[in-house]
Amino acid sequence: MEKMNRNRKMILIIMISVFIILILSTILIVIIHSKKINGNSKIDIPDVTSLPTESPTSTSTVTPSVTPSYSPTPSTTPKSNSSNLTNRECFQLFKDKHAMVAGDSMAEGLTAYEILDSSNVVWHRGRRIDNMKEDIDTIISYQPNYLFLNYGSNDLELWKGNVNSFIKSYRNTLYYLEKTLPNTKIIINSILPVSEKAVSKTPAYSYQELFNTKLKELAEELEIPFLENSVYLKEKENPFSQDGVHPKGFYYSLWAKSMAEYLKNH
């Protein structure tokens, strides 16, 4: 009889242990799942107006909560690069003026070819104007006097011809930056054209001229400087790298000179 009682106690202990393990496993699964859901946002900026989100097919109107106070500056559309600045002078001007370029993989060439210092450029492959907020911590820590924006190629792929939604997204990012960096002068770089090969592979690139025109109109409306850089590619017979999207090395020196000339004159 005593042996049977011991067996019953043992079975009861085992059943209770299994039940506890099941409960703990369920709790662990719920915690892990919750972290995955809540772990998507890389940056959380307190007391700053968040960027409104909009799907590529959305037609809703976005009303900005902040009115920008940019000082009037005309758009800049060079016919060609007549700058006499050297790469070294461009490098130093960005340092002296405490300027920064924020952009997508197009901006990578500025540091890859050692035209600008890495502290003056923040870039990320695949970055767009609607998600550039993910780089805002780096920008805020530098506190630039001048911030050159360089986005558009990836935006073309996202919006697929929906230029109105692209402009709304760009406009709201400008309001966000004006709120976040009130002492920083914003300058917009144009959206570069791509090769016919790239257009045939990705038809969304065919909207480059339309998107760029509307972006320039937005810059003029808000009185933000606009640097038209496509002329540096159109002057060359074969200006693109193998992918037909990114320019060859010569472009980055001309582009840096264009931005440095702006810094030199302001």
Side-chain angles (χ1 to χ4, degrees):
M1 179 65 68
E2 183 180 352
K3 184 175 181 180
M4 286 181 65
N5 288 335
R6 284 202 304 271
N7 290 339
R8 286 177 181 175
K9 289 182 181 180
M10 184 65 68
I11 292 172
L12 182 60
I13 292 171
I14 292 173
M15 290 177 66
I16 293 173
S17 300
V18 170
F19 182 71
I20 292 173
I21 291 171
L22 287 174
I23 292 176
L24 292 176
S25 299
T26 302
I27 293 173
L28 182 61
I29 291 172
V30 171
I31 292 173
I32 293 173
H33 183 65
S34 176
K35 286 185 176 180
K36 286 183 178 179
I37 291 176
N38 298 322
N40 290 330
S41 177
K42 292 175 64 178
I43 298 174
D44 184 17
I45 304 172
D47 300 323
V48 174
T49 303
S50 297
L51 280 172
T53 56
E54 181 180 4
S55 65
T57 57
S58 173
T59 57
S60 61
T61 302
V62 180
T63 303
S65 58
V66 182
T67 302
S69 57
Y70 301 107
S71 57
T73 307
S75 300
T76 304
T77 308
K79 293 183 179 179
S80 62
N81 196 318
S82 56
S83 174
N84 294 320
L85 293 172
T86 65
N87 286 349
R88 182 61 193 173
E89 288 171 329
C90 292
F91 184 100
Q92 195 58 46
L93 266 169
F94 265 79
K95 287 290 185 185
D96 295 342
K97 294 282 189 172
H98 206 63
M100 175 176 272
V101 181
D104 52 24
S105 58
M106 294 288 185
E108 179 182 4
L110 294 170
T111 55
Y113 291 100
E114 299 182 340
I115 298 170
L116 298 182
D117 188 77
S118 59
S119 65
N120 297 105
V121 184
V122 54
W123 62 271
H124 196 283
R125 292 178 184 177
R127 191 68 78 226
R128 304 182 307 267
I129 193 65
D130 67 305
N131 63 12
M132 64 82 60
K133 182 182 177 183
E134 295 184 36
D135 295 320
I136 198 65
D137 276 356
T138 303
I139 299 171
I140 289 175
S141 65
Y142 190 74
Q143 284 293 311
N145 294 328
Y146 301 87
L147 180 63
F148 294 86
L149 302 180
N150 190 73
Y151 302 97
S153 293
N154 299 307
D155 302 78
L156 288 170
E157 293 190 67
L158 172 68
W159 295 110
K160 296 179 171 62
N162 191 343
V163 67
N164 291 332
S165 293
F166 165 68
I167 292 301
K168 287 177 183 177
S169 180
Y170 214 115
R171 181 190 297 272
N172 285 308
T173 297
L174 293 172
Y175 289 130
Y176 169 79
L177 290 173
E178 198 274 340
K179 173 69 174 180
T180 310
L181 302 163
N183 299 317
T184 299
K185 182 70 176 178
I186 304 295
I187 304 96
I188 298 174
N189 282 289
S190 63
I191 304 173
L192 294 181
V194 300
S195 67
E196 293 181 3
K197 169 188 171 183
V199 172
S200 63
K201 183 178 179 181
T202 307
Y205 286 141
S206 64
Y207 294 101
Q208 177 270 334
E209 187 173 354
L210 172 62
F211 275 50
N212 193 54
T213 298
K214 292 298 183 181
L215 181 57
K216 183 177 179 180
E217 291 175 0
L218 175 65
E220 291 174 348
E221 174 193 336
L222 299 179
E223 298 178 325
I224 299 173
F226 182 88
L227 303 183
E228 179 56 76
N229 302 310
S230 60
V231 62
Y232 308 135
L233 299 179
K234 293 177 179 178
E235 289 175 345
K236 299 289 183 179
E237 185 175 348
N238 185 24
F240 301 105
S241 59
Q242 190 172 0
D243 65 4
V245 176
H246 294 82
K248 291 181 178 177
F250 76 90
Y251 168 77
Y252 298 98
S253 177
L254 298 176
W255 177 25
K257 289 179 181 180
S258 174
M259 293 186 288
E261 280 291 343
Y262 177 87
L263 295 175
K264 181 181 177 182
N265 296 320
H266 294 82

